[in-house]
Amino acid sequence: MSDTQWPRWEVFKQDTPNKPHQAVGSVHAADPLHALLTARNVFVRRPQAVSLWVAPASAIFSVTQEELAEGPKPSPESTGVAGAYLLFRKTSHKRSMTFVDYVGQLEAPSPQAALEQALRQFTDAEALAWWVIPASSVVRSEESPETVESWFAPAKEKTYKQQSYYGVVGTHTSKLRGRGGADES
Amino acid sequence: MPGKFGTPTDPDYALRLAEFEARIARGEKIEPGDWMPEEYRRQLVRMISQHAHSEVVGMLPEGAWITRAPSLKRKMILIAKVQDEAGHGQYLYHAAETLGISREEMLEALLSGRAKYSSIFNYPTLTWADIGTIGWLVDGAAIKNQTMLAQCSYGPYSRAMVRICAEETFHHKQGKEMVIAYAKGTPKQRQMAQDAINRWWWPALMMLGPHDADSPNSEVLIRWGVKTKSNDTVRQEFINEHAPEILATGLSLPDPELHQDPQGNWRHGPINWEEFWSVVGGNGPMNKERLEARRRAHTEGAWVREALEAYAAKKSPIPMAV
Ligand SMILES: [Fe+2]
Ligand SMILES: [Fe+2]
């Protein structure tokens, strides 16, 4: 068998219940549960997560602002079916560790149609990039309190992973300015 | 998904390049799917994959000390740090993949010895004090570079860097705390810390790359907003922060010429670039061992990859992308 790193899955993390799921990066995994578990290990080593979604990268119809300006882009055939679509959008060039945010779900005959509908519906901010994903391709972590607790709470206890745990260590450079003499040996 | 990659022979290259450079000048991020010069893509794939390999190989020198940590607390900290480095490798491979190179290709390049990774990880970790010193100096140097790269014009690389920087500050601080504790400890601890600083100081300066005059890629990388500072500038920032802090602990640095100039910059003596290029060229003390360890891990893990794939093929209708 030739070497494989398995298919790629995009990961969406929700930090708190009132924040949207945000694209944080991708993992490679053989199946959806494997993708969710890997996503937890890769993206939830620190606090701030209540839910994870994963979707196969191959199921995502992505369009940038530049591509939008150039006119309609054919959506991939494999996902060109009628149904529910999840819409994700990027609205800022600001320094960030996440890409697109979840904005809502739409019923549409194809990803391209879902995007056109979204352009009319979500007009509160200028979009710099869109992801359209069939709802049937998105796999979500369980919402039961036990799962949330066992998946996401342990990171909160591991305070030694935070730089704040170490307080002020030694003398900061800013306090050392103006001191001369390199050779103290 | 990868967008259009322009080459100078394209009829509209000059026009599109001008638009591209104007976008960068406006502080916009270039995203997967956007037009970009093929050379921008090529440089990013080179840099990001090397960076990813460095995170992965970087687990080896420290991982070797997990079983020998002197206390449960130190052991938990080290495990968390090494696990973070694995995560950093994942973030970065992901960023490179958005440019149309596959994980398989990148791993093949690493395992075959074609790909480069940071020279620093080809030095051995001889004592426990090396673990603190790596945190303080090696992660400290990496943070300087990564903070700069967090401003990068390519969205996925920039985002990976922002995520990494947030975690690196823990790596840096735990190392600094450890070295300072040993500097204030018994004569033996102090001597162990000094020995580690002596061995890691120069490689830490070297890992920030050749002098600007010998860094052929720098100019285009700065023009396209991939890098925002030159190697020498980043190195100077590193020394200005770390030299006085280390000296304040009472430890010394292995550079008789090190001094502070009238502008307040800490000036270092000549760097042994012959050693640097020899390590980059594969002849460092640990190059062979590092590569062998990676290859062994890859080969020994093959059955896991195959088993999971077979299980998924039986269970799930999702097609296996190649
Ligand atoms: Fe790292
Ligand atoms: Fe680190």
Side-chain angles (χ1 to χ4, degrees):
Chain A
M1 191 182 256
S2 68
D3 183 37
T4 174
Q5 294 297 310
W6 308 308
R8 208 162 62 78
W9 303 70
E10 290 291 347
V11 178
F12 305 88
K13 180 161 84 82
Q14 187 181 32
D15 287 352
T16 60
N18 47 16
K19 277 196 176 171
H21 282 75
Q22 299 177 298
V24 289
S26 66
V27 294
H28 287 249
D31 63 64
L33 182 59
H34 182 208
L36 277 174
L37 286 167
T38 307
R40 178 186 174 275
N41 293 337
V42 173
F43 294 102
V44 198
R45 294 192 306 282
R46 301 287 190 292
Q48 254 119 50
V50 291
S51 165
L52 286 172
W53 295 348
V54 293
S58 56
I60 298 175
F61 175 48
S62 84
V63 184
T64 64
Q65 194 185 29
E66 193 178 281
E67 289 174 312
L68 268 181
E70 283 171 2
K73 173 186 174 184
S75 52
E77 284 166 60
S78 57
T79 56
V81 290
Y85 287 93
L86 269 52
L87 277 295
F88 297 82
R89 181 180 63 172
K90 177 192 159 156
T91 57
S92 166
H93 286 297
K94 277 204 210 96
R95 187 188 153 102
S96 168
M97 56 174 91
T98 60
F99 184 38
V100 288
D101 291 1
Y102 176 63
V103 286
Q105 185 172 322
L106 294 170
E107 294 288 329
S110 72
Q112 182 63 49
L115 177 63
E116 279 161 24
Q117 216 174 304
L119 288 171
R120 289 191 299 273
Q121 192 170 328
F122 304 108
T123 51
D124 55 308
E126 192 189 13
L128 303 170
W130 287 97
W131 276 4
V132 184
I133 312 177
S136 57
S137 300
V138 177
V139 181
R140 303 157 196 243
S141 60
E142 270 181 51
E143 280 169 30
S144 68
E146 303 82 60
T147 301
V148 173
E149 174 77 11
S150 73
W151 273 50
F152 304 120
K156 295 199 179 93
E157 314 285 308
K158 298 177 181 171
T159 50
Y160 54 88
K161 293 185 185 184
Q162 310 289 358
Q163 64 107 8
S164 51
Y165 170 85
Y166 299 87
V168 178
V169 180
T171 317
H172 192 263
T173 343
S174 58
K175 299 269 178 342
L176 294 168
R177 288 265 152 72
R179 260 203 218 180
D183 192 9
E184 296 188 12
S185 56
Chain B
M1 180 192 39
K4 308 108 235 174
F5 308 122
T7 53
T9 48
D10 298 346
D12 60 348
Y13 183 76
L15 186 72
R16 302 222 65 166
L17 181 66
E19 283 169 8
F20 171 83
E21 291 185 348
R23 289 193 60 196
I24 290 170
R26 285 197 297 272
E28 293 182 13
K29 293 274 180 256
I30 308 300
E31 296 294 350
D34 286 341
W35 186 92
M36 63 188 82
E38 168 56 28
E39 179 62 9
Y40 179 80
R41 188 192 85 96
R42 193 185 70 82
Q43 292 281 2
L44 280 169
V45 167
R46 178 186 66 82
M47 280 178 73
I48 302 172
S49 60
Q50 280 182 17
H51 199 157
H53 299 325
S54 302
E55 301 284 352
V56 169
V57 177
M59 288 189 279
L60 297 171
E62 292 186 288
W65 280 90
I66 289 174
T67 54
R68 294 176 282 174
S71 69
L72 182 60
K73 179 187 142 191
R74 294 282 183 208
K75 187 179 197 145
M76 292 198 318
I77 291 171
L78 182 57
I79 289 172
K81 180 180 189 290
V82 172
Q83 193 190 27
D84 277 351
E85 307 301 6
H88 297 175
Q90 301 297 320
Y91 305 160
L92 287 159
Y93 283 127
H94 155 78
E97 283 161 350
T98 64
L99 292 158
I101 185 169
S102 72
R103 182 75 59 108
E104 286 83 356
E105 287 173 84
M106 289 186 276
L107 284 186
E108 196 277 321
L110 173 65
L111 298 175
S112 71
R114 265 190 300 121
K116 296 209 170 13
Y117 55 85
S118 182
S119 57
I120 194 101
F121 301 119
N122 291 318
Y123 290 86
T125 38
L126 301 181
T127 73
W128 173 255
D130 287 24
I131 299 307
T133 307
I134 287 175
W136 197 0
L137 297 185
V138 178
D139 291 86
I143 290 172
K144 292 287 173 216
N145 205 30
Q146 289 166 345
T147 308
M148 183 259 296
L149 290 167
Q151 312 290 330
C152 172
S153 59
Y154 188 57
Y157 196 19
S158 150
R159 290 189 285 274
M161 282 300 127
V162 176
R163 190 170 289 280
I164 285 173
C165 285
E167 301 181 349
E168 287 293 352
T169 45
F170 143 61
H171 301 178
H172 185 234
K173 220 142 171 206
Q174 61 83 31
K176 183 176 174 182
E177 189 248 2
M178 196 196 300
V179 175
I180 290 175
Y182 294 148
K184 287 195 277 199
T186 64
K188 213 168 166 199
Q189 286 175 323
R190 207 182 149 69
Q191 187 260 319
M192 190 168 78
Q194 183 63 64
D195 166 64
I197 295 275
N198 290 349
R199 283 181 290 107
W200 290 96
W201 175 253
W202 287 110
L205 295 194
M206 290 176 201
M207 76 178 265
L208 292 166
H211 284 310
D212 297 350
D214 307 313
S215 183
N217 294 319
S218 272
E219 201 252 343
V220 68
L221 294 178
I222 287 177
R223 183 152 55 94
W224 286 340
V226 175
K227 290 170 77 168
T228 52
K229 292 170 184 171
S230 73
N231 293 351
D232 284 330
T233 306
V234 176
R235 186 165 23 242
Q236 191 62 59
E237 282 178 8
F238 169 77
I239 302 175
N240 284 355
E241 178 183 326
H242 290 78
E245 289 185 357
I246 291 166
L247 296 174
T249 67
L251 297 171
S252 66
L253 288 167
D255 179 358
E257 293 182 37
L258 186 75
H259 66 281
Q260 207 172 12
D261 71 14
Q263 286 73 44
N265 288 316
W266 287 83
R267 296 292 176 186
H268 61 81
I271 292 174
N272 183 352
W273 292 112
E274 242 166 76
E275 175 183 320
F276 173 76
W277 289 117
S278 152
V279 177
V280 170
N283 301 313
M286 298 295 281
N287 294 57
K288 258 192 76 188
E289 283 82 349
R290 299 292 183 240
L291 212 53
E292 273 167 18
R294 283 312 314 156
R295 284 192 190 129
R296 199 168 52 241
H298 188 78
T299 312
E300 288 175 1
W303 71 272
V304 180
R305 293 191 294 278
E306 288 166 16
L308 269 165
E309 194 168 61
Y311 175 79
K314 243 199 306 190
K315 273 202 72 166
S316 116
I318 290 162
M320 291 285 161
V322 182

